[in-house]
Amino acid sequence: MTEKNSPLWEVFIRSRNGLAHRHVGSVHAADATMALQAARDVYTRRGEGLSIWVVPSAAITASDPADKDMMFEPTASKIYRHPTFYEVPEEVGHM
Amino acid sequence: MYTQALNTRDQAAPSADSEQDARFQARVDAELKIEPNDWMPEAYRRTLTRQISQHAHSEIVGMLPEGNWITRAPTLKRKAALLAKVQDEGGHGLYLYSAAETLGTSREEMVDQLLSGKAKYSSIFNYPTLTWADIGIIGWLVDGAAIMNQIPLCRCSYGPYARAMIRICKEESFHQRQGYEIMLALCRGTPEQKQMAQEALNRWWWPVLMMFGPSDKDSQHTDTTTRWKIKRFTNDELRQKFVDATVPQGHYLGLTFPDPALRLNEKTGHWDYGEIDWSEFKRVIAGDGPCNRQRMKQRRAAHENGAWVREAALAYAEKRKARERAAYAEAAE
Ligand SMILES: [Fe+2]
Ligand SMILES: [Fe+2]
């Protein structure tokens, strides 16, 4: 292969008003404009989207799943962050 | 479909003693999804890369037999539908390449494997589309078989593959229905049109049954892929489901199937069918089907003829980036 590889872009789509953009897959394209067009053709042929983001895949920094415990365990032990940790007498009613 | 079990012979059995392997298997058993950066056995990665990329290649090569009829579709409505369907297949190929890339093989490498003949694709696309009825048959039967095979893949243990399959399955239903409608129009048409429909069914029926891959008796890798929850049903189970669903649809059209052994088994409630000619299957997979050479020639030509576009786009992107950098440097001065 003498040809240069074309960059990879991650595609995010807002499917409905009021929803956040969600990752749907990736496309290859030389630049951002072409990536947007490719994403439109590949991921929204049936009105799946109102808005598209394309992000160079190389620009994403991801946490390592192997560090999952170190990253997220501390939150598991902080049960006082949840409403159910606190006692409210029944007579007070719904709170 | 196109996930015909093809050349998956070299996969090593995972070493049972590894603790990581055991943890991986426990996650799969618990129906948890495996994601791109998760640890996975090398054989799992290799098997999936091969299956997903072959699936992608099949979608891409599958555009050729139908593309052959776009300019000759009998009405504008049929032409628009066929164009949309073929475009969907291109999209399916791209979803799948994108899923396969998350396993660490580049798009260019996979395309190269297809074009060099190293990678396989579904045997079905090496048969010619001789008449308009073949386009009906492909939608009704080839996409029908694909759906049968792909629905369980929506629950595959590998997240990106499962999600790509969900998108694909949503789109396949239109493909099958437009194909059946073509068949219906032909079967309700003139005697010549009905004859054309019958002849297409006669030519495609056996190759379509082969889409499900070798018989369970002869396929030795079902075990591992089942344990990894890549595969949920055996080839023969899926083939039987397909036959059961399809035969009544064919009878509704007033067509007959080219299989004298085909009959409803009162005891099992399933349609029994005759012996598949596996020597034909092996021949087509090995590259000696009616259209293998033509398909690959067309794919290579499309790729080579598009090279200048890819190069120009990259050069243009480079130029613009350089200009932006220069403007930025100037502004900073
Ligand atoms: Fe498809
Ligand atoms: Fe399809």
Side-chain angles (χ1 to χ4, degrees), chain A residues 1 3-8 13 22 24-34 41-46 48 62-66, chain B residues 37-38 84 87-89 91-92 94-95 98-99 101 106-109 112 167 171 174-175 303 307 309-311 313-314 316-318 320:
Chain A
M1 306 275 312
E3 242 180 83
K4 255 174 64 190
N5 293 0
S6 73
L8 187 65
I13 291 180
R22 217 180 94 187
V24 293
S26 61
V27 292
H28 281 268
D31 62 29
T33 313
M34 293 182 78
D41 291 346
V42 175
Y43 292 103
T44 65
R45 287 190 303 282
R46 288 177 177 77
E48 291 94 335
S63 67
D64 185 345
Chain B
N37 294 327
D38 291 341
Q87 197 190 5
D88 274 355
E89 304 302 2
H92 295 176
L94 296 179
Y95 305 155
S98 149
E101 279 179 283
S106 76
R107 175 83 51 105
E108 284 80 2
E109 217 172 307
D112 203 44
R167 296 187 74 85
E171 297 178 351
F174 138 59
H175 299 176
H303 189 73
V309 180
R310 296 189 294 276
E311 281 160 19
L314 279 173
Y316 180 66
E318 272 309 314
R320 280 228 314 219

Short mmCIF file of all heavy atoms in Angstrom, two decimals, chain A residues 1 3-8 13 22 24-34 41-46 48 62-66, chain B residues 37-38 84 87-89 91-92 94-95 98-99 101 106-109 112 167 171 174-175 303 307 309-311 313-314 316-318 320:
data_model
loop_
_atom_site.label_atom_id
_atom_site.label_comp_id
_atom_site.label_asym_id
_atom_site.label_seq_id
_atom_site.Cartn_x
_atom_site.Cartn_y
_atom_site.Cartn_z
N MET A 1 0.85 -1.19 0.00
CA MET A 1 0.00 0.00 0.00
C MET A 1 0.89 1.25 0.00
O MET A 1 1.58 1.52 0.96
CB MET A 1 -0.90 0.04 1.24
CG MET A 1 -1.74 -1.17 1.49
SD MET A 1 -3.30 -1.20 0.65
CE MET A 1 -3.98 0.42 0.98
N GLU A 3 -0.59 4.17 -0.82
CA GLU A 3 -1.52 5.25 -0.52
C GLU A 3 -1.50 5.60 0.96
O GLU A 3 -1.32 4.73 1.81
CB GLU A 3 -2.94 4.77 -0.86
CG GLU A 3 -3.61 5.58 -1.93
CD GLU A 3 -4.99 5.02 -2.19
OE1 GLU A 3 -5.90 5.37 -1.44
OE2 GLU A 3 -5.15 4.22 -3.14
N LYS A 4 -1.72 6.89 1.24
CA LYS A 4 -1.79 7.29 2.65
C LYS A 4 -3.18 6.95 3.21
O LYS A 4 -4.17 7.07 2.50
CB LYS A 4 -1.55 8.80 2.75
CG LYS A 4 -0.16 9.10 3.28
CD LYS A 4 0.16 10.57 3.26
CE LYS A 4 -0.71 11.43 4.16
NZ LYS A 4 -0.48 12.87 3.90
N ASN A 5 -3.22 6.54 4.46
CA ASN A 5 -4.52 6.24 5.07
C ASN A 5 -5.28 7.54 5.32
O ASN A 5 -4.71 8.54 5.67
CB ASN A 5 -4.31 5.54 6.41
CG ASN A 5 -3.72 4.16 6.21
OD1 ASN A 5 -3.46 3.74 5.07
ND2 ASN A 5 -3.50 3.44 7.29
N SER A 6 -6.60 7.47 5.15
CA SER A 6 -7.37 8.68 5.42
C SER A 6 -7.81 8.64 6.89
O SER A 6 -8.09 7.58 7.43
CB SER A 6 -8.55 8.80 4.47
OG SER A 6 -9.53 7.87 4.81
N PRO A 7 -7.83 9.81 7.54
CA PRO A 7 -8.09 9.86 8.98
C PRO A 7 -9.45 9.28 9.36
O PRO A 7 -10.40 9.27 8.57
CB PRO A 7 -8.05 11.36 9.29
CG PRO A 7 -7.34 12.00 8.16
CD PRO A 7 -7.58 11.13 6.96
N LEU A 8 -9.51 8.81 10.60
CA LEU A 8 -10.74 8.23 11.15
C LEU A 8 -11.44 9.28 12.02
O LEU A 8 -10.78 10.01 12.76
CB LEU A 8 -10.35 7.01 11.99
CG LEU A 8 -11.47 6.12 12.54
CD1 LEU A 8 -12.25 5.45 11.42
CD2 LEU A 8 -10.88 5.04 13.46
N ILE A 13 -24.56 11.64 16.91
CA ILE A 13 -25.80 12.16 16.32
C ILE A 13 -26.81 12.51 17.40
O ILE A 13 -27.01 11.74 18.36
CB ILE A 13 -26.39 11.11 15.35
CG1 ILE A 13 -25.48 11.00 14.13
CG2 ILE A 13 -27.81 11.49 14.92
CD1 ILE A 13 -25.94 10.01 13.10
N ARG A 22 -25.23 11.25 20.51
CA ARG A 22 -24.82 9.92 20.94
C ARG A 22 -23.88 9.31 19.91
O ARG A 22 -24.09 9.47 18.72
CB ARG A 22 -26.06 9.05 21.08
CG ARG A 22 -25.98 8.08 22.23
CD ARG A 22 -27.23 7.25 22.30
NE ARG A 22 -27.00 6.02 21.58
CZ ARG A 22 -27.95 5.12 21.33
NH1 ARG A 22 -29.18 5.35 21.70
NH2 ARG A 22 -27.65 4.02 20.69
N VAL A 24 -22.41 6.92 17.32
CA VAL A 24 -23.04 5.90 16.47
C VAL A 24 -22.04 5.06 15.69
O VAL A 24 -22.39 3.99 15.19
CB VAL A 24 -24.04 6.53 15.47
CG1 VAL A 24 -25.23 7.11 16.19
CG2 VAL A 24 -23.37 7.58 14.59
N GLY A 25 -20.80 5.53 15.54
CA GLY A 25 -19.83 4.76 14.77
C GLY A 25 -18.75 5.68 14.26
O GLY A 25 -18.52 6.74 14.84
N SER A 26 -18.10 5.29 13.18
CA SER A 26 -17.01 6.12 12.67
C SER A 26 -17.03 6.15 11.15
O SER A 26 -17.71 5.34 10.51
CB SER A 26 -15.68 5.58 13.19
OG SER A 26 -15.49 4.26 12.73
N VAL A 27 -16.31 7.11 10.58
CA VAL A 27 -16.14 7.18 9.13
C VAL A 27 -14.68 7.58 8.85
O VAL A 27 -14.00 8.12 9.71
CB VAL A 27 -17.06 8.24 8.46
CG1 VAL A 27 -18.52 7.84 8.55
CG2 VAL A 27 -16.85 9.63 9.06
N HIS A 28 -14.26 7.30 7.62
CA HIS A 28 -12.96 7.79 7.17
C HIS A 28 -13.19 8.96 6.24
O HIS A 28 -14.07 8.91 5.39
CB HIS A 28 -12.24 6.69 6.38
CG HIS A 28 -11.62 5.67 7.26
ND1 HIS A 28 -10.33 5.76 7.70
CD2 HIS A 28 -12.13 4.54 7.81
CE1 HIS A 28 -10.06 4.72 8.47
NE2 HIS A 28 -11.14 3.97 8.57
N ALA A 29 -12.41 10.02 6.40
CA ALA A 29 -12.53 11.16 5.50
C ALA A 29 -11.27 11.99 5.59
O ALA A 29 -10.58 12.00 6.61
CB ALA A 29 -13.74 12.00 5.87
N ALA A 30 -10.99 12.71 4.50
CA ALA A 30 -9.77 13.51 4.45
C ALA A 30 -9.85 14.71 5.37
O ALA A 30 -8.88 15.09 6.00
CB ALA A 30 -9.50 13.95 3.01
N ASP A 31 -11.04 15.33 5.45
CA ASP A 31 -11.16 16.50 6.33
C ASP A 31 -12.54 16.54 6.99
O ASP A 31 -13.41 15.69 6.71
CB ASP A 31 -10.88 17.80 5.56
CG ASP A 31 -11.86 18.03 4.42
OD1 ASP A 31 -13.02 17.57 4.52
OD2 ASP A 31 -11.47 18.65 3.41
N ALA A 32 -12.74 17.54 7.84
CA ALA A 32 -13.96 17.60 8.64
C ALA A 32 -15.22 17.75 7.78
O ALA A 32 -16.25 17.14 8.06
CB ALA A 32 -13.85 18.76 9.63
N THR A 33 -15.12 18.56 6.72
CA THR A 33 -16.29 18.77 5.86
C THR A 33 -16.72 17.46 5.22
O THR A 33 -17.90 17.11 5.19
CB THR A 33 -15.95 19.79 4.75
OG1 THR A 33 -15.28 20.90 5.36
CG2 THR A 33 -17.18 20.25 4.02
N MET A 34 -15.73 16.73 4.70
CA MET A 34 -16.07 15.45 4.06
C MET A 34 -16.52 14.43 5.09
O MET A 34 -17.37 13.58 4.79
CB MET A 34 -14.87 14.94 3.27
CG MET A 34 -14.55 15.81 2.06
SD MET A 34 -13.18 15.17 1.08
CE MET A 34 -14.00 13.88 0.17
N ASP A 41 -24.38 10.53 5.02
CA ASP A 41 -24.78 9.45 4.10
C ASP A 41 -24.81 8.09 4.79
O ASP A 41 -25.65 7.25 4.48
CB ASP A 41 -23.79 9.38 2.92
CG ASP A 41 -23.92 10.59 2.00
OD1 ASP A 41 -24.93 11.32 2.13
OD2 ASP A 41 -23.02 10.81 1.17
N VAL A 42 -23.85 7.87 5.69
CA VAL A 42 -23.74 6.53 6.27
C VAL A 42 -24.73 6.33 7.43
O VAL A 42 -25.34 5.28 7.55
CB VAL A 42 -22.30 6.24 6.75
CG1 VAL A 42 -22.22 4.89 7.46
CG2 VAL A 42 -21.34 6.26 5.56
N TYR A 43 -24.91 7.38 8.25
CA TYR A 43 -25.67 7.14 9.49
C TYR A 43 -27.05 7.78 9.55
O TYR A 43 -27.77 7.60 10.52
CB TYR A 43 -24.82 7.59 10.69
CG TYR A 43 -23.61 6.70 10.89
CD1 TYR A 43 -22.34 7.10 10.51
CD2 TYR A 43 -23.77 5.41 11.41
CE1 TYR A 43 -21.24 6.28 10.67
CE2 TYR A 43 -22.68 4.58 11.58
CZ TYR A 43 -21.41 5.01 11.20
OH TYR A 43 -20.34 4.17 11.36
N THR A 44 -27.44 8.56 8.54
CA THR A 44 -28.77 9.20 8.64
C THR A 44 -29.56 9.10 7.34
O THR A 44 -30.05 10.08 6.83
CB THR A 44 -28.65 10.70 9.02
OG1 THR A 44 -27.98 11.40 7.95
CG2 THR A 44 -27.86 10.90 10.29
N ARG A 45 -29.70 7.89 6.82
CA ARG A 45 -30.47 7.75 5.59
C ARG A 45 -31.98 7.72 5.82
O ARG A 45 -32.77 7.72 4.89
CB ARG A 45 -30.05 6.49 4.82
CG ARG A 45 -28.70 6.63 4.15
CD ARG A 45 -28.42 5.48 3.21
NE ARG A 45 -28.50 4.18 3.87
CZ ARG A 45 -27.55 3.69 4.65
NH1 ARG A 45 -26.46 4.38 4.85
NH2 ARG A 45 -27.68 2.51 5.21
N ARG A 46 -32.38 7.62 7.10
CA ARG A 46 -33.82 7.53 7.37
C ARG A 46 -34.23 8.49 8.49
O ARG A 46 -34.97 8.13 9.39
CB ARG A 46 -34.21 6.11 7.76
CG ARG A 46 -34.17 5.17 6.57
CD ARG A 46 -34.47 3.75 6.95
NE ARG A 46 -34.49 2.89 5.77
CZ ARG A 46 -33.41 2.46 5.17
NH1 ARG A 46 -32.22 2.79 5.61
NH2 ARG A 46 -33.51 1.70 4.10
N GLU A 48 -32.53 9.72 10.93
CA GLU A 48 -32.08 9.36 12.28
C GLU A 48 -31.53 10.55 13.04
O GLU A 48 -31.22 10.44 14.22
CB GLU A 48 -30.99 8.28 12.22
CG GLU A 48 -31.47 6.92 11.76
CD GLU A 48 -31.28 6.73 10.26
OE1 GLU A 48 -31.25 7.75 9.53
OE2 GLU A 48 -31.17 5.57 9.84
N ALA A 62 -9.37 8.39 26.26
CA ALA A 62 -10.30 7.49 26.92
C ALA A 62 -9.68 6.90 28.17
O ALA A 62 -8.45 6.73 28.24
CB ALA A 62 -10.70 6.37 25.97
N SER A 63 -10.51 6.59 29.15
CA SER A 63 -10.00 5.89 30.33
C SER A 63 -9.74 4.43 29.96
O SER A 63 -10.35 3.91 29.03
CB SER A 63 -11.01 5.97 31.47
OG SER A 63 -12.18 5.24 31.14
N ASP A 64 -8.85 3.82 30.66
CA ASP A 64 -8.50 2.43 30.37
C ASP A 64 -9.43 1.51 31.16
O ASP A 64 -9.51 1.62 32.39
CB ASP A 64 -7.04 2.21 30.79
CG ASP A 64 -6.56 0.81 30.42
OD1 ASP A 64 -7.42 -0.05 30.11
OD2 ASP A 64 -5.34 0.59 30.44
N PRO A 65 -10.16 0.61 30.47
CA PRO A 65 -11.08 -0.29 31.20
C PRO A 65 -10.36 -1.08 32.28
O PRO A 65 -10.96 -1.45 33.29
CB PRO A 65 -11.61 -1.23 30.11
CG PRO A 65 -11.33 -0.54 28.82
CD PRO A 65 -10.17 0.38 29.03
N ALA A 66 -9.05 -1.30 32.09
CA ALA A 66 -8.30 -2.05 33.10
C ALA A 66 -8.19 -1.27 34.42
O ALA A 66 -8.01 -1.85 35.48
CB ALA A 66 -6.91 -2.40 32.57
N ASN B 37 -11.68 -1.68 24.16
CA ASN B 37 -10.45 -1.64 24.95
C ASN B 37 -10.40 -2.68 26.06
O ASN B 37 -9.43 -2.74 26.80
CB ASN B 37 -10.23 -0.24 25.53
CG ASN B 37 -9.98 0.77 24.42
OD1 ASN B 37 -9.39 0.43 23.40
ND2 ASN B 37 -10.47 1.98 24.61
N ASP B 38 -11.45 -3.48 26.18
CA ASP B 38 -11.43 -4.54 27.19
C ASP B 38 -10.42 -5.62 26.82
O ASP B 38 -10.16 -5.85 25.64
CB ASP B 38 -12.82 -5.19 27.31
CG ASP B 38 -13.85 -4.25 27.90
OD1 ASP B 38 -13.44 -3.27 28.54
OD2 ASP B 38 -15.04 -4.50 27.71
N ALA B 84 -31.88 2.81 -3.45
CA ALA B 84 -31.85 2.99 -2.00
C ALA B 84 -31.34 1.72 -1.31
O ALA B 84 -30.59 1.77 -0.34
CB ALA B 84 -33.23 3.37 -1.48
N GLN B 87 -27.64 1.34 -1.84
CA GLN B 87 -26.95 2.31 -0.99
C GLN B 87 -26.91 1.82 0.46
O GLN B 87 -25.90 1.95 1.15
CB GLN B 87 -27.66 3.66 -1.08
CG GLN B 87 -26.79 4.79 -0.57
CD GLN B 87 -27.55 6.10 -0.42
OE1 GLN B 87 -28.76 6.15 -0.61
NE2 GLN B 87 -26.85 7.15 -0.08
N ASP B 88 -28.02 1.23 0.91
CA ASP B 88 -28.04 0.64 2.25
C ASP B 88 -26.95 -0.41 2.41
O ASP B 88 -26.27 -0.47 3.44
CB ASP B 88 -29.39 -0.07 2.52
CG ASP B 88 -30.45 0.89 3.05
OD1 ASP B 88 -30.14 2.07 3.30
OD2 ASP B 88 -31.60 0.44 3.19
N GLU B 89 -26.79 -1.25 1.39
CA GLU B 89 -25.78 -2.32 1.49
C GLU B 89 -24.39 -1.70 1.63
O GLU B 89 -23.55 -2.20 2.39
CB GLU B 89 -25.83 -3.26 0.28
CG GLU B 89 -27.19 -3.92 0.01
CD GLU B 89 -27.74 -4.76 1.14
OE1 GLU B 89 -27.11 -4.84 2.22
OE2 GLU B 89 -28.84 -5.33 0.97
N GLY B 91 -23.82 1.12 3.01
CA GLY B 91 -23.81 1.58 4.40
C GLY B 91 -23.53 0.44 5.37
O GLY B 91 -22.74 0.59 6.30
N HIS B 92 -24.14 -0.72 5.12
CA HIS B 92 -23.90 -1.88 6.00
C HIS B 92 -22.42 -2.24 6.00
O HIS B 92 -21.83 -2.52 7.04
CB HIS B 92 -24.70 -3.09 5.52
CG HIS B 92 -26.18 -2.89 5.61
ND1 HIS B 92 -27.09 -3.81 5.16
CD2 HIS B 92 -26.90 -1.85 6.08
CE1 HIS B 92 -28.32 -3.35 5.36
NE2 HIS B 92 -28.23 -2.16 5.91
N LEU B 94 -19.99 -0.26 5.53
CA LEU B 94 -19.24 0.75 6.28
C LEU B 94 -19.46 0.64 7.79
O LEU B 94 -18.52 0.79 8.57
CB LEU B 94 -19.60 2.16 5.78
CG LEU B 94 -19.20 2.42 4.32
CD1 LEU B 94 -19.61 3.80 3.88
CD2 LEU B 94 -17.71 2.23 4.10
N TYR B 95 -20.70 0.35 8.22
CA TYR B 95 -20.91 0.14 9.67
C TYR B 95 -19.99 -0.97 10.16
O TYR B 95 -19.42 -0.92 11.24
CB TYR B 95 -22.33 -0.34 10.04
CG TYR B 95 -23.51 0.46 9.58
CD1 TYR B 95 -24.75 -0.17 9.41
CD2 TYR B 95 -23.43 1.81 9.34
CE1 TYR B 95 -25.86 0.54 9.01
CE2 TYR B 95 -24.55 2.52 8.93
CZ TYR B 95 -25.77 1.88 8.75
OH TYR B 95 -26.87 2.56 8.34
N SER B 98 -16.32 -0.24 10.27
CA SER B 98 -16.09 0.61 11.43
C SER B 98 -16.06 -0.23 12.71
O SER B 98 -15.22 -0.01 13.59
CB SER B 98 -17.18 1.70 11.44
OG SER B 98 -17.52 2.10 12.72
N ALA B 99 -16.94 -1.23 12.81
CA ALA B 99 -16.93 -2.12 13.98
C ALA B 99 -15.65 -2.96 14.01
O ALA B 99 -15.02 -3.13 15.06
CB ALA B 99 -18.16 -3.03 13.98
N GLU B 101 -12.77 -2.27 12.75
CA GLU B 101 -11.58 -1.45 13.03
C GLU B 101 -11.33 -1.28 14.52
O GLU B 101 -10.19 -1.10 14.95
CB GLU B 101 -11.74 -0.06 12.40
CG GLU B 101 -11.43 -0.04 10.92
CD GLU B 101 -11.62 1.36 10.33
OE1 GLU B 101 -12.78 1.74 10.10
OE2 GLU B 101 -10.62 2.05 10.14
N SER B 106 -6.71 -1.88 10.44
CA SER B 106 -7.12 -0.65 9.76
C SER B 106 -8.03 -0.96 8.57
O SER B 106 -8.01 -2.06 8.03
CB SER B 106 -5.89 0.12 9.26
OG SER B 106 -5.37 -0.51 8.11
N ARG B 107 -8.83 0.04 8.21
CA ARG B 107 -9.73 -0.10 7.06
C ARG B 107 -8.94 -0.48 5.81
O ARG B 107 -9.33 -1.37 5.05
CB ARG B 107 -10.44 1.24 6.84
CG ARG B 107 -11.31 1.30 5.59
CD ARG B 107 -12.65 0.72 5.85
NE ARG B 107 -13.27 1.30 7.04
CZ ARG B 107 -14.26 2.19 7.01
NH1 ARG B 107 -14.75 2.57 5.88
NH2 ARG B 107 -14.77 2.67 8.13
N GLU B 108 -7.82 0.21 5.61
CA GLU B 108 -7.03 -0.01 4.40
C GLU B 108 -6.55 -1.46 4.32
O GLU B 108 -6.55 -2.07 3.27
CB GLU B 108 -5.83 0.94 4.36
CG GLU B 108 -6.19 2.38 4.00
CD GLU B 108 -6.76 3.18 5.17
OE1 GLU B 108 -6.86 2.63 6.29
OE2 GLU B 108 -7.11 4.35 4.97
N GLU B 109 -6.15 -1.98 5.49
CA GLU B 109 -5.67 -3.35 5.53
C GLU B 109 -6.79 -4.33 5.13
O GLU B 109 -6.57 -5.27 4.38
CB GLU B 109 -5.22 -3.65 6.97
CG GLU B 109 -4.01 -4.51 7.11
CD GLU B 109 -3.58 -4.55 8.57
OE1 GLU B 109 -3.40 -3.46 9.17
OE2 GLU B 109 -3.47 -5.64 9.10
N ASP B 112 -7.55 -4.12 1.50
CA ASP B 112 -6.46 -4.77 0.80
C ASP B 112 -6.62 -6.29 0.81
O ASP B 112 -6.37 -6.97 -0.18
CB ASP B 112 -5.14 -4.37 1.50
CG ASP B 112 -3.97 -4.51 0.56
OD1 ASP B 112 -4.11 -4.10 -0.60
OD2 ASP B 112 -2.92 -5.03 0.99
N ARG B 167 -28.50 -1.78 13.76
CA ARG B 167 -28.78 -0.81 12.68
C ARG B 167 -29.12 -1.53 11.39
O ARG B 167 -30.06 -1.18 10.68
CB ARG B 167 -27.54 0.05 12.41
CG ARG B 167 -27.10 0.95 13.52
CD ARG B 167 -25.97 1.86 13.02
NE ARG B 167 -26.50 2.89 12.15
CZ ARG B 167 -26.98 4.04 12.61
NH1 ARG B 167 -26.98 4.29 13.88
NH2 ARG B 167 -27.47 4.93 11.78
N GLU B 171 -32.78 -2.06 8.77
CA GLU B 171 -32.88 -1.68 7.37
C GLU B 171 -33.20 -2.84 6.45
O GLU B 171 -33.68 -2.66 5.34
CB GLU B 171 -31.56 -1.01 6.93
CG GLU B 171 -31.32 0.26 7.70
CD GLU B 171 -30.02 0.96 7.36
OE1 GLU B 171 -29.19 0.39 6.63
OE2 GLU B 171 -29.83 2.09 7.82
N PHE B 174 -36.98 -3.67 4.85
CA PHE B 174 -37.37 -3.01 3.59
C PHE B 174 -36.81 -3.79 2.39
O PHE B 174 -37.50 -3.99 1.39
CB PHE B 174 -36.90 -1.54 3.63
CG PHE B 174 -36.29 -0.98 2.36
CD1 PHE B 174 -37.02 -0.95 1.17
CD2 PHE B 174 -35.02 -0.45 2.37
CE1 PHE B 174 -36.46 -0.41 0.01
CE2 PHE B 174 -34.45 0.10 1.22
CZ PHE B 174 -35.17 0.11 0.03
N HIS B 175 -35.58 -4.27 2.51
CA HIS B 175 -34.97 -5.00 1.40
C HIS B 175 -35.78 -6.23 1.04
O HIS B 175 -36.04 -6.52 -0.12
CB HIS B 175 -33.55 -5.43 1.76
CG HIS B 175 -32.64 -4.29 2.07
ND1 HIS B 175 -31.35 -4.45 2.50
CD2 HIS B 175 -32.85 -2.95 2.02
CE1 HIS B 175 -30.79 -3.26 2.69
NE2 HIS B 175 -31.69 -2.34 2.41
N HIS B 303 -11.77 0.48 -6.90
CA HIS B 303 -10.82 0.98 -5.92
C HIS B 303 -9.71 1.78 -6.60
O HIS B 303 -9.37 2.88 -6.18
CB HIS B 303 -10.22 -0.19 -5.14
CG HIS B 303 -9.38 0.24 -3.97
ND1 HIS B 303 -9.92 0.76 -2.83
CD2 HIS B 303 -8.03 0.26 -3.80
CE1 HIS B 303 -8.95 1.07 -1.99
NE2 HIS B 303 -7.80 0.78 -2.55
N ALA B 307 -8.70 6.08 -6.63
CA ALA B 307 -7.48 6.46 -5.89
C ALA B 307 -7.19 7.94 -6.03
O ALA B 307 -6.84 8.61 -5.05
CB ALA B 307 -6.29 5.63 -6.38
N VAL B 309 -9.17 10.37 -6.36
CA VAL B 309 -10.08 11.17 -5.54
C VAL B 309 -9.59 11.19 -4.09
O VAL B 309 -9.53 12.24 -3.45
CB VAL B 309 -11.52 10.60 -5.60
CG1 VAL B 309 -12.46 11.44 -4.74
CG2 VAL B 309 -12.01 10.53 -7.04
N ARG B 310 -9.22 10.01 -3.59
CA ARG B 310 -8.73 9.95 -2.21
C ARG B 310 -7.45 10.78 -2.05
O ARG B 310 -7.28 11.51 -1.08
CB ARG B 310 -8.49 8.48 -1.81
CG ARG B 310 -9.75 7.64 -1.78
CD ARG B 310 -9.51 6.26 -1.17
NE ARG B 310 -8.62 5.41 -1.96
CZ ARG B 310 -9.00 4.66 -2.99
NH1 ARG B 310 -10.28 4.65 -3.35
NH2 ARG B 310 -8.15 3.91 -3.65
N GLU B 311 -6.57 10.65 -3.04
CA GLU B 311 -5.32 11.40 -2.96
C GLU B 311 -5.58 12.90 -3.02
O GLU B 311 -4.99 13.67 -2.25
CB GLU B 311 -4.38 10.99 -4.11
CG GLU B 311 -3.67 9.68 -3.82
CD GLU B 311 -3.12 9.01 -5.09
OE1 GLU B 311 -2.97 9.71 -6.11
OE2 GLU B 311 -2.88 7.79 -5.04
N ALA B 313 -8.27 14.53 -2.20
CA ALA B 313 -8.93 14.99 -0.97
C ALA B 313 -7.93 15.17 0.16
O ALA B 313 -7.97 16.16 0.90
CB ALA B 313 -10.03 14.00 -0.57
N LEU B 314 -7.01 14.22 0.28
CA LEU B 314 -5.98 14.32 1.32
C LEU B 314 -5.05 15.50 1.06
O LEU B 314 -4.70 16.24 1.98
CB LEU B 314 -5.17 13.02 1.39
CG LEU B 314 -5.82 11.89 2.19
CD1 LEU B 314 -5.00 10.62 2.06
CD2 LEU B 314 -5.96 12.27 3.67
N TYR B 316 -5.74 18.21 -0.58
CA TYR B 316 -6.49 19.44 -0.31
C TYR B 316 -6.57 19.71 1.19
O TYR B 316 -6.36 20.84 1.65
CB TYR B 316 -7.89 19.31 -0.91
CG TYR B 316 -8.76 20.52 -0.69
CD1 TYR B 316 -8.45 21.74 -1.28
CD2 TYR B 316 -9.90 20.44 0.10
CE1 TYR B 316 -9.25 22.85 -1.08
CE2 TYR B 316 -10.72 21.55 0.31
CZ TYR B 316 -10.39 22.75 -0.29
OH TYR B 316 -11.18 23.85 -0.09
N ALA B 317 -6.83 18.66 1.97
CA ALA B 317 -6.90 18.81 3.43
C ALA B 317 -5.55 19.28 3.98
O ALA B 317 -5.49 20.15 4.85
CB ALA B 317 -7.31 17.49 4.07
N GLU B 318 -4.48 18.73 3.43
CA GLU B 318 -3.13 19.12 3.86
C GLU B 318 -2.88 20.60 3.56
O GLU B 318 -2.39 21.36 4.39
CB GLU B 318 -2.07 18.28 3.11
CG GLU B 318 -1.72 16.98 3.81
CD GLU B 318 -1.37 17.19 5.28
OE1 GLU B 318 -0.59 18.12 5.58
OE2 GLU B 318 -1.88 16.44 6.15
N ARG B 320 -5.02 22.99 3.11
CA ARG B 320 -5.82 23.89 3.96
C ARG B 320 -5.24 24.00 5.36
O ARG B 320 -5.22 25.06 5.97
CB ARG B 320 -7.26 23.39 4.02
CG ARG B 320 -8.06 23.79 2.78
CD ARG B 320 -9.38 24.38 3.17
NE ARG B 320 -9.99 23.55 4.20
CZ ARG B 320 -11.28 23.27 4.25
NH1 ARG B 320 -12.09 23.74 3.35
NH2 ARG B 320 -11.77 22.53 5.22
#
